[in-house]
Amino acid sequence: MAPSTHFGAKMPNLSIKDVPETWAEALRTRAALNHRSLQGELMAIVEQAIAATLVASPKPAEDRSKPRIVGYDKAGYPIVRQGWKTVEQVAADLRARYPTPINSGPSSIEIIREDRDSR
């Protein structure tokens, strides 16, 4: 459930005190694995928790092809997530689309040598 606010809107702040360091480090690691800031990761966790409580009210499926706001930076600008596929999914899609490697054209070594020799 993405926040339905516009830039500059006043939003409440939440704070959690006395978080054990092991939990904080686990959250930082999880955020890095998901390519998010810690704030973005916490917003995603809260979003999932709220969505789970709203299961009784069905809504149309989210269009994951559109950019969505996953958090806000220190200046208040939205942090936008535009992709939803993992690196592995993107690689598999490219392998399926281009099953045969491109072997024509100059090699990278030839390009570098030509550039070097042109100076």
Side-chain angles (χ1 to χ4, degrees):
M1 175 173 211
S4 59
T5 61
H6 62 280
F7 175 70
K10 294 275 185 184
M11 295 179 68
N13 289 315
L14 302 176
S15 176
I16 302 173
K17 295 179 173 70
D18 300 323
V19 176
E21 184 56 38
T22 54
W23 291 12
E25 188 56 37
L27 286 168
R28 285 186 206 101
T29 301
R30 179 177 164 158
L33 290 172
N34 289 319
H35 306 286
R36 296 181 180 131
S37 66
L38 180 57
Q39 176 68 23
E41 186 65 25
L42 293 170
M43 287 291 286
I45 291 169
V46 170
E47 182 179 344
Q48 288 172 354
I50 290 172
T53 62
L54 299 176
V55 171
S57 61
K59 62 176 187 172
E62 179 182 349
D63 183 2
R64 302 193 117 211
S65 64
K66 294 181 181 177
R68 64 187 183 106
I69 298 172
V70 295
Y72 295 88
D73 65 12
K74 291 180 182 178
Y77 293 100
I79 300 168
V80 179
R81 181 173 183 186
Q82 295 183 337
W84 58 270
K85 292 184 178 181
T86 65
V87 173
E88 293 79 14
Q89 289 171 321
V90 171
D93 288 349
L94 289 173
R95 275 191 231 100
R97 190 171 181 185
Y98 305 105
T100 310
I102 300 172
N103 293 324
S104 61
S107 71
S108 58
I109 296 170
E110 292 169 349
I111 294 171
I112 292 170
R113 283 186 181 146
E114 183 180 329
D115 181 57
R116 181 195 62 207
D117 295 344
S118 69
R119 295 181 204 172

